[in-house]
Every structure is written in structure tokens, then in C-alpha cells.
Amino acid sequence: MFTKTILFALLAACGVNSDITPDAPEDIEAPEDDLVEQLFCCESVDPKTASGEGCKILPKEHILLCQTILACGDVWTLDNGKATCGK
């Protein structure tokens, strides 16, 4: 009789559907950046004039591949490898 009780309890437990789900986090949107930034990988950078020599445009995904970085806002120029940040 004890075996039947245990078997019945196991069968009953297997047939129970659980509606308990962990709380899913709400969709959180990243804040929009108002600042548009352009990165340059340069051979040399002058922080006083916000300019660099031997520069190439650097995608943010490749920032770890460059040792000398010039970061400009949304106004900049690149002329034959010379990058200058605008104001």
C-alpha cells in the first residue's frame, strides 16, 4: 500500500504544470548618444591642437588595435593622413 501511495504521488507530481517563470527583465533601451564621435588611429597626436599625423579612420570595434588614438566630435577633417578636430 505504501508503494502505491508513493507511485501516486510521483505520477501526480509529474502531471502538474508549473506556471512559475522567473521575472524577465523589461526591455531596456540604451540611452541615445547626442555626441557623435569619430576616432582616428594616428602615428602621433598633439592634444594641444587636437590633431594628429599619419591618421586613419578607426571603427569603435577596432579601438584595441591602435595605441595612439585621436577622438573628435562630429566636426573633423582628414587630409592626407592629417586629422584635425573641429570645435
Side-chain angles (χ1 to χ4, degrees):
M1 175 118 173
F2 184 67
T3 307
K4 289 182 182 181
T5 305
I6 293 176
L7 182 61
F8 178 74
L10 287 174
L11 290 174
C14 291
V16 175
N17 289 333
S18 175
D19 289 337
I20 300 173
T21 56
D23 292 334
E26 296 179 18
D27 291 338
I28 300 173
E29 294 182 20
E32 293 183 21
D33 292 335
D34 292 336
L35 175 65
V36 177
E37 185 177 58
Q38 179 60 56
L39 302 175
F40 297 94
C41 183
C42 303
E43 293 174 7
S44 65
V45 171
D46 183 358
K48 292 179 184 176
T49 61
S51 63
E53 296 286 337
C55 300
K56 295 180 181 177
I57 292 179
L58 178 68
K60 288 183 181 181
E61 298 82 28
H62 299 121
I63 194 166
L64 296 176
L65 300 176
C66 184
Q67 292 183 347
T68 306
I69 299 169
L70 175 64
C72 295
D74 59 349
V75 179
W76 51 270
T77 58
L78 179 62
D79 184 23
N80 290 322
K82 180 174 172 113
T84 305
C85 298
K87 293 181 182 182

Coordinates of all heavy atoms in Angstrom, one line a residue:
M1 N 0.8 -1.2 0.0 CA 0.0 0.0 0.0 C 0.9 1.3 0.0 O 0.5 2.2 -0.7 CB -0.9 0.0 1.2 CG -1.7 1.2 1.4 SD -3.4 0.8 1.3 CE -4.2 2.3 1.7
F2 N 1.9 1.2 0.8 CA 2.9 2.3 0.8 C 3.5 2.6 -0.6 O 3.6 3.8 -1.0 CB 3.9 2.1 1.9 CG 4.9 3.2 2.1 CD1 4.4 4.4 2.6 CD2 6.2 3.2 1.7 CE1 5.3 5.5 2.8 CE2 7.1 4.2 1.9 CZ 6.6 5.4 2.4
T3 N 3.7 1.6 -1.3 CA 4.3 1.7 -2.7 C 3.3 2.4 -3.6 O 3.7 3.2 -4.4 CB 4.7 0.3 -3.2 OG1 5.5 -0.3 -2.3 CG2 5.4 0.4 -4.5
K4 N 2.0 2.1 -3.5 CA 1.0 2.7 -4.3 C 0.9 4.2 -4.0 O 0.7 5.0 -4.9 CB -0.3 2.0 -4.1 CG -0.4 0.6 -4.7 CD -1.8 0.0 -4.5 CE -1.8 -1.4 -5.0 NZ -3.2 -2.0 -4.9
T5 N 1.0 4.6 -2.7 CA 1.0 6.0 -2.3 C 2.1 6.8 -2.9 O 1.9 7.9 -3.5 CB 1.0 6.1 -0.8 OG1 -0.1 5.3 -0.3 CG2 0.8 7.5 -0.4
I6 N 3.3 6.2 -2.9 CA 4.5 6.9 -3.4 C 4.4 7.0 -4.9 O 4.6 8.0 -5.5 CB 5.8 6.1 -3.0 CG1 6.0 6.2 -1.5 CG2 7.0 6.7 -3.8 CD1 7.2 5.4 -1.0
L7 N 3.9 5.9 -5.6 CA 3.7 5.9 -7.0 C 2.7 6.9 -7.4 O 2.9 7.7 -8.4 CB 3.3 4.5 -7.5 CG 3.1 4.3 -9.0 CD1 4.4 4.6 -9.8 CD2 2.7 2.9 -9.3
F8 N 1.6 7.0 -6.7 CA 0.6 8.0 -7.0 C 1.1 9.4 -6.8 O 0.8 10.3 -7.6 CB -0.7 7.8 -6.1 CG -1.7 8.8 -6.3 CD1 -2.6 8.7 -7.4 CD2 -2.0 9.8 -5.3 CE1 -3.5 9.7 -7.6 CE2 -2.9 10.7 -5.5 CZ -3.8 10.7 -6.6
A9 N 1.9 9.7 -5.8 CA 2.5 11.0 -5.6 C 3.4 11.4 -6.7 O 3.4 12.5 -7.1 CB 3.2 11.0 -4.2
L10 N 4.2 10.4 -7.2 CA 5.2 10.7 -8.2 C 4.4 11.0 -9.5 O 4.8 11.9 -10.3 CB 6.1 9.5 -8.5 CG 7.2 9.3 -7.4 CD1 8.0 8.0 -7.7 CD2 8.1 10.5 -7.4
L11 N 3.4 10.2 -9.8 CA 2.6 10.4 -11.0 C 1.9 11.8 -11.0 O 1.8 12.5 -12.0 CB 1.6 9.3 -11.3 CG 2.2 8.0 -11.7 CD1 1.2 6.9 -11.7 CD2 2.9 8.1 -13.0
A12 N 1.4 12.1 -9.8 CA 0.7 13.4 -9.7 C 1.7 14.6 -9.8 O 1.3 15.6 -10.5 CB 0.0 13.5 -8.3
A13 N 2.9 14.4 -9.3 CA 3.8 15.5 -9.4 C 4.3 15.7 -10.9 O 4.6 16.8 -11.3 CB 5.0 15.2 -8.5
C14 N 4.4 14.6 -11.6 CA 4.8 14.7 -13.0 C 3.8 15.4 -13.9 O 4.1 16.0 -14.9 CB 5.2 13.3 -13.6 SG 6.7 12.6 -12.8
G15 N 2.5 15.2 -13.5 CA 1.5 15.8 -14.3 C 1.1 17.2 -14.0 O 0.3 17.8 -14.7
V16 N 1.7 17.8 -13.0 CA 1.4 19.2 -12.7 C 2.3 20.1 -13.5 O 3.5 20.0 -13.6 CB 1.8 19.4 -11.2 CG1 1.6 20.9 -10.8 CG2 0.9 18.5 -10.3
N17 N 1.6 21.1 -14.2 CA 2.2 22.1 -14.9 C 2.5 23.3 -14.1 O 1.7 23.7 -13.3 CB 1.4 22.5 -16.1 CG 1.3 21.5 -17.2 OD1 2.2 20.7 -17.3 ND2 0.2 21.5 -17.9
S18 N 3.7 23.8 -14.1 CA 4.1 24.9 -13.3 C 4.1 26.2 -14.2 O 4.7 26.2 -15.3 CB 5.5 24.7 -12.8 OG 5.9 25.9 -12.1
D19 N 3.3 27.2 -13.7 CA 3.3 28.4 -14.4 C 4.3 29.4 -13.8 O 4.2 30.6 -14.1 CB 1.9 29.0 -14.4 CG 0.9 28.2 -15.2 OD1 1.4 27.6 -16.2 OD2 -0.3 28.3 -15.0
I20 N 5.1 29.0 -13.0 CA 6.1 29.8 -12.3 C 7.2 30.1 -13.3 O 7.9 29.1 -13.7 CB 6.6 29.2 -11.0 CG1 5.5 29.0 -10.0 CG2 7.7 30.1 -10.4 CD1 5.9 28.3 -8.8
T21 N 7.4 31.3 -13.7 CA 8.5 31.6 -14.6 C 9.3 32.8 -13.9 O 8.7 33.6 -13.2 CB 8.1 32.1 -16.0 OG1 7.2 33.2 -15.8 CG2 7.4 31.0 -16.7
P22 N 10.6 32.8 -14.1 CA 11.3 33.9 -13.5 C 11.0 35.2 -14.1 O 10.6 35.3 -15.3 CB 12.8 33.5 -13.7 CG 12.8 32.6 -14.8 CD 11.4 31.9 -14.8
D23 N 11.0 36.3 -13.3 CA 10.7 37.6 -13.9 C 11.7 38.0 -14.9 O 12.9 38.0 -14.7 CB 10.7 38.7 -12.8 CG 9.6 38.4 -11.8 OD1 8.6 37.8 -12.2 OD2 9.7 38.9 -10.6
A24 N 11.2 38.2 -16.1 CA 12.1 38.6 -17.2 C 12.3 40.1 -17.1 O 11.4 40.9 -16.8 CB 11.4 38.3 -18.6
P25 N 13.5 40.5 -17.3 CA 13.8 42.0 -17.2 C 13.1 42.7 -18.4 O 12.9 42.1 -19.5 CB 15.3 42.1 -17.4 CG 15.7 40.8 -18.1 CD 14.7 39.8 -17.6
E26 N 12.6 43.9 -18.1 CA 12.0 44.7 -19.1 C 13.0 45.0 -20.2 O 14.2 45.1 -19.9 CB 11.4 45.9 -18.5 CG 10.3 45.6 -17.5 CD 9.7 46.9 -17.0 OE1 9.9 48.0 -17.5 OE2 9.0 46.8 -15.9
D27 N 12.5 45.2 -21.4 CA 13.4 45.7 -22.4 C 14.0 47.0 -22.1 O 13.2 48.0 -22.0 CB 12.7 45.7 -23.8 CG 12.4 44.3 -24.3 OD1 13.1 43.3 -23.8 OD2 11.5 44.2 -25.1
I28 N 15.3 47.1 -21.9 CA 15.9 48.4 -21.6 C 16.6 48.9 -22.8 O 17.5 48.2 -23.3 CB 16.8 48.2 -20.4 CG1 16.1 47.7 -19.2 CG2 17.5 49.5 -20.1 CD1 17.0 47.3 -18.0
E29 N 16.3 50.1 -23.2 CA 17.0 50.7 -24.3 C 18.1 51.5 -23.9 O 18.1 52.2 -22.8 CB 16.0 51.5 -25.1 CG 14.9 50.8 -25.8 CD 14.0 51.6 -26.6 OE1 14.4 52.8 -27.0 OE2 12.9 51.2 -26.9
A30 N 19.2 51.4 -24.6 CA 20.4 52.2 -24.2 C 20.1 53.7 -24.6 O 19.4 54.0 -25.5 CB 21.6 51.7 -25.1
P31 N 20.6 54.6 -23.7 CA 20.3 56.0 -24.0 C 21.0 56.4 -25.3 O 22.1 55.9 -25.6 CB 20.9 56.7 -22.8 CG 21.9 55.7 -22.2 CD 21.4 54.4 -22.5
E32 N 20.3 57.2 -26.0 CA 20.9 57.7 -27.3 C 22.0 58.7 -27.0 O 21.8 59.6 -26.2 CB 19.8 58.3 -28.2 CG 18.8 57.3 -28.6 CD 17.7 57.9 -29.5 OE1 18.0 59.0 -30.1 OE2 16.6 57.4 -29.6
D33 N 23.1 58.5 -27.7 CA 24.2 59.4 -27.5 C 23.9 60.7 -28.4 O 23.7 60.5 -29.6 CB 25.5 58.8 -27.9 CG 25.9 57.7 -26.9 OD1 25.5 57.7 -25.8 OD2 26.7 56.8 -27.4
D34 N 23.9 61.8 -27.8 CA 23.8 63.0 -28.5 C 25.1 63.4 -29.2 O 25.2 64.1 -30.2 CB 23.3 64.2 -27.6 CG 21.9 64.0 -27.1 OD1 21.1 63.2 -27.8 OD2 21.5 64.5 -26.1
L35 N 26.2 62.9 -28.6 CA 27.5 63.2 -29.1 C 27.9 62.2 -30.2 O 27.9 61.0 -29.9 CB 28.6 63.2 -28.0 CG 30.0 63.4 -28.4 CD1 30.2 64.8 -29.0 CD2 30.9 63.2 -27.2
V36 N 28.2 62.7 -31.4 CA 28.7 61.8 -32.4 C 30.2 61.9 -32.3 O 30.8 63.0 -32.4 CB 28.2 62.3 -33.8 CG1 28.8 61.4 -34.9 CG2 26.7 62.2 -33.8
E37 N 30.9 60.8 -32.2 CA 32.3 60.8 -32.0 C 33.0 60.0 -33.2 O 32.6 59.0 -33.6 CB 32.7 60.1 -30.7 CG 34.2 60.2 -30.4 CD 34.5 59.6 -29.0 OE1 34.1 58.4 -28.8 OE2 35.0 60.3 -28.2
Q38 N 34.1 60.6 -33.7 CA 34.9 59.9 -34.7 C 36.2 59.6 -34.1 O 36.9 60.5 -33.6 CB 35.0 60.8 -36.0 CG 35.9 60.2 -37.1 CD 35.3 58.8 -37.5 OE1 34.2 58.7 -37.9 NE2 36.1 57.8 -37.4
L39 N 36.7 58.4 -34.3 CA 38.0 58.0 -33.8 C 39.0 57.9 -34.9 O 38.6 57.4 -36.0 CB 37.9 56.7 -33.0 CG 36.9 56.7 -31.8 CD1 36.9 55.3 -31.3 CD2 37.4 57.6 -30.8
F40 N 40.2 58.3 -34.7 CA 41.3 58.1 -35.7 C 42.5 57.4 -35.0 O 42.8 57.6 -33.8 CB 41.8 59.5 -36.1 CG 40.8 60.3 -36.8 CD1 40.0 61.2 -36.2 CD2 40.6 60.1 -38.2 CE1 39.1 62.0 -36.8 CE2 39.6 60.9 -38.9 CZ 38.9 61.8 -38.2
C41 N 43.1 56.4 -35.7 CA 44.3 55.8 -35.3 C 45.4 56.5 -36.0 O 45.5 56.6 -37.2 CB 44.3 54.3 -35.7 SG 45.7 53.4 -35.2
C42 N 46.3 57.1 -35.2 CA 47.3 58.0 -35.7 C 48.7 57.6 -35.3 O 48.9 56.8 -34.3 CB 47.1 59.4 -35.2 SG 45.5 60.1 -35.6
E43 N 49.7 58.0 -36.1 CA 51.1 57.7 -35.7 C 51.5 58.6 -34.5 O 52.3 58.2 -33.7 CB 52.0 57.9 -36.9 CG 51.8 56.9 -38.0 CD 52.6 57.2 -39.2 OE1 53.4 58.1 -39.2 OE2 52.4 56.5 -40.2
S44 N 51.0 59.9 -34.6 CA 51.3 60.8 -33.5 C 50.1 61.7 -33.3 O 49.4 62.0 -34.3 CB 52.6 61.7 -33.8 OG 52.4 62.5 -34.9
V45 N 49.9 62.2 -32.1 CA 48.8 63.1 -31.8 C 49.3 64.3 -30.9 O 50.1 64.1 -30.1 CB 47.7 62.3 -31.0 CG1 46.6 63.2 -30.4 CG2 47.1 61.2 -31.8
D46 N 48.8 65.5 -31.2 CA 49.1 66.7 -30.4 C 47.8 67.0 -29.7 O 46.9 67.6 -30.3 CB 49.5 67.8 -31.3 CG 49.9 69.0 -30.5 OD1 49.8 69.0 -29.3 OD2 50.3 70.0 -31.2
P47 N 47.7 66.8 -28.4 CA 46.5 67.0 -27.7 C 46.2 68.5 -27.5 O 45.0 68.9 -27.4 CB 46.7 66.4 -26.3 CG 48.1 66.0 -26.2 CD 48.7 66.1 -27.6
K48 N 47.2 69.4 -27.6 CA 47.0 70.8 -27.5 C 46.2 71.4 -28.7 O 45.4 72.3 -28.5 CB 48.3 71.6 -27.4 CG 49.1 71.3 -26.1 CD 50.4 72.0 -26.0 CE 51.1 71.6 -24.7 NZ 52.5 72.2 -24.7
T49 N 46.5 70.9 -29.9 CA 45.8 71.3 -31.1 C 44.7 70.4 -31.5 O 44.1 70.6 -32.6 CB 46.8 71.5 -32.2 OG1 47.4 70.3 -32.5 CG2 47.9 72.5 -31.9
A50 N 44.5 69.3 -30.8 CA 43.5 68.3 -31.2 C 43.7 67.8 -32.6 O 42.8 67.9 -33.4 CB 42.1 68.8 -30.9
S51 N 44.9 67.4 -32.9 CA 45.2 67.0 -34.3 C 46.2 65.8 -34.2 O 46.8 65.5 -33.2 CB 45.8 68.1 -35.1 OG 47.0 68.6 -34.6
G52 N 46.3 65.2 -35.4 CA 47.2 64.0 -35.4 C 47.8 63.8 -36.8 O 47.2 64.3 -37.8
E53 N 49.0 63.2 -36.9 CA 49.6 62.9 -38.2 C 49.6 61.4 -38.4 O 49.6 60.6 -37.5 CB 51.1 63.3 -38.1 CG 51.3 64.8 -37.9 CD 51.0 65.6 -39.2 OE1 51.1 65.0 -40.3 OE2 50.7 66.8 -39.1
G54 N 49.6 61.0 -39.7 CA 49.5 59.6 -40.1 C 48.3 58.9 -39.6 O 48.3 57.8 -39.1
C55 N 47.1 59.6 -39.7 CA 45.9 59.1 -39.2 C 45.0 58.4 -40.2 O 45.0 58.7 -41.4 CB 45.1 60.3 -38.6 SG 45.9 61.2 -37.3
K56 N 44.3 57.4 -39.7 CA 43.3 56.7 -40.5 C 42.0 56.6 -39.6 O 42.1 56.5 -38.4 CB 43.8 55.3 -40.8 CG 45.0 55.3 -41.7 CD 45.4 53.8 -42.0 CE 46.6 53.9 -42.9 NZ 47.1 52.6 -43.2
I57 N 40.9 56.6 -40.3 CA 39.6 56.4 -39.5 C 39.6 55.1 -38.8 O 40.0 54.1 -39.4 CB 38.4 56.6 -40.4 CG1 38.3 58.0 -40.9 CG2 37.1 56.2 -39.7 CD1 37.2 58.3 -41.9
L58 N 39.2 55.1 -37.6 CA 39.2 53.9 -36.7 C 37.8 53.5 -36.3 O 37.2 54.3 -35.5 CB 40.1 54.1 -35.5 CG 40.2 53.0 -34.5 CD1 40.9 51.8 -35.1 CD2 40.9 53.5 -33.2
P59 N 37.2 52.4 -36.7 CA 35.9 52.0 -36.2 C 36.0 51.7 -34.7 O 37.1 51.2 -34.2 CB 35.6 50.7 -37.0 CG 36.5 50.7 -38.2 CD 37.7 51.5 -37.7
K60 N 35.0 52.0 -33.9 CA 35.0 51.7 -32.5 C 35.3 50.2 -32.2 O 35.9 50.0 -31.1 CB 33.7 52.1 -31.9 CG 33.5 53.6 -31.8 CD 32.2 54.0 -31.1 CE 32.0 55.5 -31.1 NZ 30.8 55.9 -30.5
E61 N 34.9 49.3 -33.0 CA 35.1 47.9 -32.8 C 36.6 47.6 -32.8 O 37.0 46.5 -32.3 CB 34.4 47.1 -33.8 CG 32.9 47.2 -33.9 CD 32.5 48.4 -34.7 OE1 33.2 48.9 -35.6 OE2 31.4 49.0 -34.3
H62 N 37.5 48.4 -33.4 CA 38.9 48.1 -33.5 C 39.7 49.0 -32.6 O 40.9 49.1 -32.9 CB 39.3 48.3 -35.0 CG 38.6 47.3 -35.9 ND1 37.9 47.8 -37.0 CD2 38.5 46.0 -35.9 CE1 37.3 46.7 -37.6 NE2 37.7 45.6 -36.9
I63 N 39.2 49.6 -31.6 CA 39.9 50.6 -30.8 C 41.1 49.9 -30.1 O 42.1 50.6 -29.8 CB 38.9 51.3 -29.8 CG1 39.6 52.5 -29.2 CG2 38.5 50.3 -28.7 CD1 38.7 53.4 -28.5
L64 N 41.0 48.7 -29.8 CA 42.1 48.0 -29.1 C 43.3 47.7 -30.0 O 44.3 47.3 -29.5 CB 41.6 46.7 -28.4 CG 40.5 46.9 -27.3 CD1 40.0 45.5 -26.8 CD2 41.0 47.7 -26.2
L65 N 43.1 47.9 -31.3 CA 44.2 47.6 -32.2 C 45.1 48.8 -32.4 O 46.1 48.7 -33.1 CB 43.6 47.2 -33.5 CG 42.8 45.9 -33.5 CD1 42.2 45.6 -34.9 CD2 43.6 44.7 -33.0
C66 N 44.8 49.9 -31.8 CA 45.6 51.1 -32.0 C 46.1 51.7 -30.7 O 45.4 51.7 -29.7 CB 44.7 52.2 -32.7 SG 45.5 53.7 -33.1
Q67 N 47.4 52.1 -30.7 CA 48.0 52.6 -29.5 C 47.9 54.2 -29.4 O 47.9 54.7 -28.3 CB 49.4 52.3 -29.4 CG 49.6 50.8 -29.3 CD 51.1 50.4 -29.1 OE1 52.0 51.2 -29.4 NE2 51.3 49.2 -28.7
T68 N 47.7 54.9 -30.5 CA 47.6 56.3 -30.5 C 46.3 56.7 -31.1 O 46.1 56.5 -32.3 CB 48.8 57.0 -31.2 OG1 50.0 56.5 -30.6 CG2 48.8 58.5 -31.0
I69 N 45.4 57.2 -30.3 CA 44.0 57.5 -30.8 C 43.7 59.0 -30.6 O 44.0 59.6 -29.6 CB 43.0 56.7 -30.0 CG1 43.3 55.2 -30.2 CG2 41.6 57.0 -30.4 CD1 42.5 54.3 -29.3
L70 N 43.1 59.5 -31.7 CA 42.6 60.9 -31.6 C 41.1 60.8 -31.7 O 40.5 60.2 -32.6 CB 43.1 61.7 -32.8 CG 42.5 63.1 -33.0 CD1 42.9 64.0 -31.8 CD2 43.0 63.7 -34.3
A71 N 40.4 61.3 -30.7 CA 38.9 61.3 -30.7 C 38.4 62.7 -30.9 O 38.7 63.6 -30.2 CB 38.4 60.8 -29.3
C72 N 37.6 62.8 -32.0 CA 36.9 64.1 -32.3 C 35.4 64.0 -32.1 O 34.9 62.9 -32.1 CB 37.2 64.4 -33.8 SG 38.9 64.7 -34.2
G73 N 34.8 65.1 -32.0 CA 33.3 65.1 -32.0 C 32.8 64.9 -33.4 O 33.4 64.2 -34.2
D74 N 31.7 65.6 -33.7 CA 31.1 65.4 -35.1 C 31.7 66.3 -36.1 O 31.4 66.2 -37.3 CB 29.6 65.5 -35.0 CG 29.1 66.9 -34.5 OD1 30.0 67.6 -34.0 OD2 27.9 67.1 -34.6
V75 N 32.6 67.2 -35.8 CA 33.3 68.1 -36.7 C 34.8 67.8 -36.8 O 35.5 67.9 -35.7 CB 33.1 69.6 -36.3 CG1 33.8 70.5 -37.3 CG2 31.6 69.9 -36.2
W76 N 35.3 67.4 -37.9 CA 36.6 67.0 -38.1 C 37.0 67.0 -39.5 O 36.2 67.1 -40.4 CB 36.9 65.6 -37.5 CG 36.0 64.5 -38.0 CD1 34.8 64.2 -37.5 CD2 36.1 63.8 -39.2 NE1 34.1 63.2 -38.3 CE2 35.0 62.9 -39.3 CE3 37.1 63.6 -40.2 CZ2 34.8 62.0 -40.4 CZ3 36.9 62.7 -41.2 CH2 35.8 62.0 -41.3
T77 N 38.4 67.0 -39.8 CA 38.9 66.9 -41.1 C 40.0 65.9 -41.2 O 40.7 65.7 -40.2 CB 39.4 68.3 -41.6 OG1 40.5 68.7 -40.8 CG2 38.4 69.4 -41.7
L78 N 40.1 65.3 -42.3 CA 41.2 64.3 -42.6 C 41.7 64.6 -44.0 O 41.0 64.4 -44.9 CB 40.6 62.9 -42.5 CG 41.7 61.8 -42.7 CD1 42.8 61.8 -41.7 CD2 41.0 60.4 -42.7
D79 N 43.0 65.1 -44.0 CA 43.6 65.4 -45.3 C 44.9 64.8 -45.4 O 45.9 65.2 -44.7 CB 43.6 67.0 -45.4 CG 44.2 67.5 -46.7 OD1 44.1 66.7 -47.7 OD2 44.7 68.6 -46.8
N80 N 45.1 63.8 -46.3 CA 46.4 63.1 -46.5 C 47.0 62.7 -45.2 O 48.2 62.8 -44.9 CB 47.3 64.1 -47.2 CG 46.9 64.3 -48.7 OD1 46.4 63.3 -49.3 ND2 47.1 65.5 -49.2
G81 N 46.2 62.0 -44.3 CA 46.7 61.5 -43.1 C 46.8 62.4 -41.9 O 47.1 62.0 -40.8
K82 N 46.5 63.7 -42.1 CA 46.4 64.7 -41.0 C 45.0 64.9 -40.6 O 44.2 65.4 -41.4 CB 47.1 66.0 -41.4 CG 47.1 67.0 -40.3 CD 47.9 68.2 -40.6 CE 47.6 69.2 -39.5 NZ 48.8 69.5 -38.7
A83 N 44.7 64.5 -39.4 CA 43.3 64.7 -38.8 C 43.3 65.9 -37.9 O 44.3 66.1 -37.1 CB 42.9 63.4 -38.1
T84 N 42.3 66.6 -37.9 CA 42.1 67.8 -37.1 C 40.7 67.8 -36.6 O 39.7 67.7 -37.4 CB 42.4 69.1 -37.8 OG1 43.7 69.0 -38.3 CG2 42.4 70.3 -36.8
C85 N 40.5 67.9 -35.3 CA 39.2 68.0 -34.7 C 38.7 69.5 -34.7 O 39.5 70.4 -34.5 CB 39.2 67.6 -33.2 SG 39.7 65.9 -33.0
G86 N 37.4 69.6 -35.1 CA 36.8 71.0 -35.1 C 36.2 71.3 -33.8 O 36.2 70.5 -32.9
K87 N 35.7 72.5 -33.7 CA 35.1 72.9 -32.4 C 33.6 73.1 -32.5 O 33.1 73.3 -33.5 CB 35.8 74.2 -31.9 CG 37.2 74.0 -31.6 CD 37.8 75.2 -31.1 CE 39.3 74.9 -30.8 NZ 40.0 76.0 -30.3

